[in-house]
């Protein structure tokens, strides 16, 4: 049985006051997160604040991105060891916004994934097709290419710990969610791809769905056999929505 994960991706949102209020509300309901892993990924500059607020709780702080390089002349970058000092273990990599707006390539995502694994941390590797690619029937081809590049660059021993997030680009921030069936099809294909490398790791790997997950659609998505939780953007900024999504993941685990 895999432990589900709900990860909040705050993107470039928040401020000291709003962060404190949101975390306080999330922690109030922490008893509802039994049996799952919950993390929030604030902008890097708030890592220390959020890490302090979460100290001693069941909710962990994660990162939205990190440098593949250890240290040195990389202006504007944040290293893994810096994030680790503030308790970060999980790092979102290859989010479609980074791929589309900051030109991150499959190779860069793979390089970063390798660095995260080498640091003993956990990459949350995002893959997903655009609407155009889906309509051209290329969904599985695209997500397989994206994941394959990562699989080729990380050690097999680290594979089971890696988290994958299937995030169809057309569903991100649009209010248009993939149906549970559409998502399940892709999740099963991704797991099969991992199984070609290591069947045991594939059965243990958590594959999250992301793209307009909300309190209403979460339960149905999480009920699917290969959907092991969610990577939540917009709804992770609203305490009630995020808490309900975590509750849905915990509930799916009990009944699933
Ligand atoms: P969304 O974003 O939930 O706002 O669609 C998800 C994501 O980009 O991780």
């Amino acid at each position: 049985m895999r432990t589900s994960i709900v990860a909040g991706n705050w993107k470039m949102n928040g401020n000291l006051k709003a962060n404190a209020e949101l975390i306080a509300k999330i922690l109030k309901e922490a008893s509802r997160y039994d049996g799952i892993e919950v993390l929030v990924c604030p902008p890097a500059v708030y890592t220390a604040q959020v890490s302090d607020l979460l100290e001693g709780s069941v909710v962990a702080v994660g990162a939205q991105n990190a440098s593949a390089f250890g240290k040195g002349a990389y202006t504007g970058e944040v290293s893994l060891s810096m994030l680790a000092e503030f308790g970060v273990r999980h790092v979102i990599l290859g989010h479609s916004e980074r791929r589309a707006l900051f030109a991150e390539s499959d190779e860069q995502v793979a390089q970063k994934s390798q660095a995260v694994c080498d640091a003993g941390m956990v990459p949350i590797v995002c893959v997903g097709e655009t609407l155009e690619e889906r309509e051209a029937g290329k969904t599985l081809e695209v997500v397989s290419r994206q994941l394959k590049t990562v699989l080729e660059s990380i050690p097999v021993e680290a594979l089971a710990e890696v988290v994958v997030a299937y995030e169809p680009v057309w569903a991100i921030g649009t209010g248009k969610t993939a149906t549970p069936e559409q998502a399940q099809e892709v999740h099963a294909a991704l797991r099969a791809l991992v199984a070609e490398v290591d069947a045991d790791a594939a059965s243990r790997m958590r594959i999250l769905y992301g793209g307009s997950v909300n309190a209403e659609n979460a339960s149905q998505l999480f009920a699917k056999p290969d959907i092991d939780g969610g990577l939540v953007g917009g709804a992770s900024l609203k305490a009630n929505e995020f808490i309900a999504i975590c509750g849905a993941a915990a509930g799916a685990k009990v009944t699933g």
Side-chain angles (χ1 to χ4, degrees), residues 9 22-23 36 57 102 122 166 170 185 187 199 201 209 219 249-250 255:
N9 173 11
L22 180 54
I23 294 294
I36 63 164
S57 80
F102 303 99
V122 179
Y166 168 54
W170 49 272
E185 184 195 6
H187 282 230
Y209 170 78
S219 296
T255 54

Side-chain angles (χ1 to χ4, degrees), residues 20-38:
E21 287 169 3
L22 180 54
I23 294 294
K25 287 182 188 161
I26 290 172
L27 290 182
K28 250 195 187 158
E29 303 292 331
S31 61
R32 294 172 62 179
Y33 317 150
D34 264 4
I36 63 164
E37 286 181 39
V38 177

Side-chain angles (χ1 to χ4, degrees), residues 223-244:
K224 290 292 175 193
D226 287 296
I227 303 183
D228 308 311
L231 180 54
V232 185
S236 74
L237 298 169
K238 297 178 199 143
N240 290 345
E241 285 275 322
F242 189 66
I243 291 160

